[in-house]
């Protein structure tokens, strides 16, 4: 069983920054893809960023490119999402997820991920 716990959410003004963390426990997740998704009220869950644990290959949603950076700390079995230049449109509940399929290219589809955290709220005010 895998547990993913997000932290680092909060309220910031537009233009500010936050760093989200997602710590994994219960099972070694080395070599698995890790992703960040978000969901605003009334919207579907959408892809934000993902990373392949071995190659460190990353993929970003267009809305995240140039502003967000996904990274990992292997020793801590933790994945991070550094978010800069935040906009009110980034307001959402942010989830981290783990994909056990061992694909080289991380998936952008929520259905491809096997484990999910509970989410951490990010609120950006104008």
């Amino acid at each position: 069983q895998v547990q993913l716990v997000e932290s680092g959410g909060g309220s910031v003004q537009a233009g500010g920054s936050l760093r989200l963390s997602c710590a994994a426990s219960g099972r070694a997740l080395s070599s698995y893809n890790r992703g960040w998704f978000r969901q605003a009220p009334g919207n579907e869950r959408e892809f934000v960023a993902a990373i392949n644990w071995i190659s460190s290959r990353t993929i970003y949603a267009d809305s995240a490119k140039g502003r967000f950076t996904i990274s990992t700390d292997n020793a801590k079995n933790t994945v991070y999402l550094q978010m800069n230049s935040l906009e009110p449109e980034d307001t959402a509940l942010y989830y981290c997820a783990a994909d056990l399929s061992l694909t080289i290219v991380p998936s952008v589809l929520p259905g491809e991920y096997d484990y999910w955290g509970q989410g951490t709220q990010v609120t950006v005010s104008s």
Side-chain angles (χ1 to χ4, degrees):
Q1 187 69 19
V2 172
Q3 288 186 326
L4 302 176
V5 179
E6 303 98 335
S7 61
S11 297
V12 297
Q13 291 194 334
S17 299
L18 286 172
R19 189 177 80 152
L20 306 183
S21 300
C22 176
S25 62
R27 176 177 177 177
L29 290 181
S30 59
S31 80
Y32 299 141
N33 293 318
R34 302 283 289 276
W36 285 97
F37 293 77
R38 67 186 184 187
Q39 188 168 17
N43 291 352
E44 294 185 352
R45 191 167 299 188
E46 65 174 3
F47 171 76
V48 177
I51 186 167
N52 179 277
W53 200 269
I54 292 181
S55 69
S56 295
R57 179 171 179 170
T58 58
I59 185 169
Y60 293 93
D62 288 343
S63 60
K65 289 178 182 176
R67 299 189 301 128
F68 295 0
T69 302
I70 188 170
S71 62
T72 62
D73 184 328
N74 291 350
K76 296 181 179 180
N77 206 7
T78 297
V79 62
Y80 302 98
L81 185 67
Q82 177 66 44
M83 304 187 296
N84 299 327
S85 302
L86 283 162
E87 303 167 351
E89 292 74 20
D90 296 316
T91 295
L93 190 60
Y94 282 71
Y95 297 91
C96 72
D99 169 13
L100 307 186
S101 66
L102 299 179
T103 55
I104 295 175
V105 179
S107 175
V108 303
L109 301 175
E112 297 295 319
Y113 287 77
D114 302 286
Y115 293 99
W116 292 83
Q118 294 297 310
T120 185
Q121 179 67 37
V122 172
T123 303
V124 184
S125 58
S126 58

